[in-house]
Each structure stands twice: as C-alpha cells, then as structure tokens.
Amino acid sequence: MEIKKENKVVDFIKKYGIYVTVGVVVFAVALTFTLLATLNNSAVQTGTGNVSFVMPMQDASVVKDYSDTSLQLNETLKQWEAHMSIDLTSENSDVFAIQSGTVSEVNYDYLNGYSVTVDHGNGFVSVYSSLAEEVEVKEGDKVSAGEKIGSASESAIGESELGNHLHFTLKLNDDYVDPNDYLDLQIK
C-alpha cells in the first residue's frame, strides 16, 4: 500500500482557486477604471475660485491646437510630436498678457524664438513664444491683464512653416495645461 503525500498548495488551489482568480480579476478591473477616471479628469483644482484670463491676441485664430494625447505633425521639422501649446495668428500681431503678473524671464532660443514668461501667481505661468525681437517688457516688470508685451512673428524657427504666429503655453503648478480650458477660443 502506497501512502500519498498531500500537497497542500495543490489542494488549496483545487478548493479555492476559482475564488482567488475572480478576486484578482475584480481587483484588476477596479484598478483600471480608477486609473482611467483619474487620467480623464480634466478639471483642474487651482484653489483660487474663478480664474479669468483675457485673450493673448485680438481676433485670433488657432492654427495649431494643444494636444497632449495624440501626436501632431510639425511641418517645419518633419516630425510627429506632442504639442503642449496653442499657436495663434491674427491680422493684428500684438500680443497681450492674459492676466496681471510679473515677467519672470525674457529670452531667445533657436527653436522657440523670442519668449516672455509671466508668473501670474496662484500656480499659473504663461509663456509667449515666437515673438518679434523688440519685446515690450523686461525681466522683473509687473504687467496688467491686457497689457501689450510684444508682437507675434516667425522667430520660432522650429515652427517657421506657420509664419507669423504666437506660440502660447500655459502651466499650472509646473504642469502643462490646455489653454482651451481657460481662454475663450471660439474661433478655431
């Protein structure tokens, strides 16, 4: 007579395996839905109540929209890329501060051209790129909402195919945010 050795792990799996499998699947589905809901939540908490901005250009049209979820072709560089800004054009090339704040940086780089960065407080920072060389402000200046800070141009060599335009970026707490969520860009 042969004595069978019991394998407790095999017996446990035979007895309770279906319950463990169902539990793991339910947990995985719940985790997936939670992560998707978090990623799709476009509401941004600012802690500041209602925030209002003026348009950075008058009668502007969007020539290239914001996209952080799909790639867009950069015609100038002939490459696909995320576009964490919006590109605006208008017959009037004047560029205005979207809200009062302090100019934290004025600089030039080859791809983005001349840029002005304004810190609006409450975590908001706006960046105006592809400006003409003759910017109207300097680092440390206080600006008011609607104050002219420069003129749109084609100084951004990385987007020269777009011609004269404003490459506008908005950040909240150092994260890129979609300017469409804050500006009244009805004309696209």
Side-chain angles (χ1 to χ4, degrees):
M1 180 174 190
E2 192 175 311
I3 300 179
K4 268 178 135 182
K5 284 188 175 178
E6 274 187 41
N7 186 336
K8 293 183 181 191
V9 173
V10 172
D11 287 343
F12 179 83
I13 291 174
K14 285 180 183 177
K15 191 172 185 179
Y16 300 107
I18 189 72
Y19 300 113
V20 172
T21 303
V22 168
V24 169
V25 169
V26 167
F27 176 75
V29 169
L31 182 60
T32 300
F33 281 116
T34 301
L35 289 174
L36 285 175
T38 302
L39 292 175
N40 289 332
N41 184 2
S42 62
V44 179
Q45 295 296 329
T46 65
T48 60
N50 290 336
V51 177
S52 64
F53 296 113
V54 300
M55 289 294 293
M57 294 183 84
Q58 295 175 349
D59 302 318
S61 296
V62 176
V63 290
K64 191 169 184 184
D65 211 351
Y66 178 93
S67 178
D68 61 349
T69 57
S70 62
L71 298 178
Q72 294 186 34
L73 179 62
N74 180 321
E75 294 288 340
T76 304
L77 301 176
K78 305 294 187 231
Q79 68 184 22
W80 292 90
E81 60 191 14
H83 194 251
M84 308 295 277
S85 303
I86 56 173
D87 294 324
L88 302 167
T89 188
S90 176
E91 287 185 24
N92 180 347
S93 64
D94 291 345
V95 174
F96 307 98
I98 61 167
Q99 192 180 52
S100 61
T102 303
V103 176
S104 59
E105 189 174 0
V106 177
N107 68 352
Y108 172 82
D109 73 63
Y110 187 72
L111 287 177
N112 294 309
Y114 293 94
S115 297
V116 171
T117 302
V118 178
D119 185 339
H120 302 287
N122 297 320
F124 281 104
V125 172
S126 57
V127 183
Y128 311 80
S129 300
S130 192
L131 298 175
E133 183 177 2
E134 301 81 24
V135 295
E136 307 269 331
V137 295
K138 64 184 181 310
E139 200 169 306
D141 283 356
K142 303 282 186 203
V143 294
S144 301
E147 182 177 333
K148 183 177 176 185
I149 59 172
S151 299
S153 76
E154 52 188 26
S155 69
I157 300 302
E159 292 182 333
S160 62
E161 291 288 319
L162 296 177
N164 283 350
H165 73 286
L166 168 65
H167 183 82
F168 179 75
T169 305
L170 187 61
K171 293 183 180 182
L172 176 59
N173 300 322
D174 294 325
D175 293 325
Y176 290 91
V177 294
D178 186 349
N180 291 289
D181 294 340
Y182 299 94
L183 300 175
D184 186 17
L185 297 170
Q186 297 293 323
I187 305 168
K188 286 193 177 186

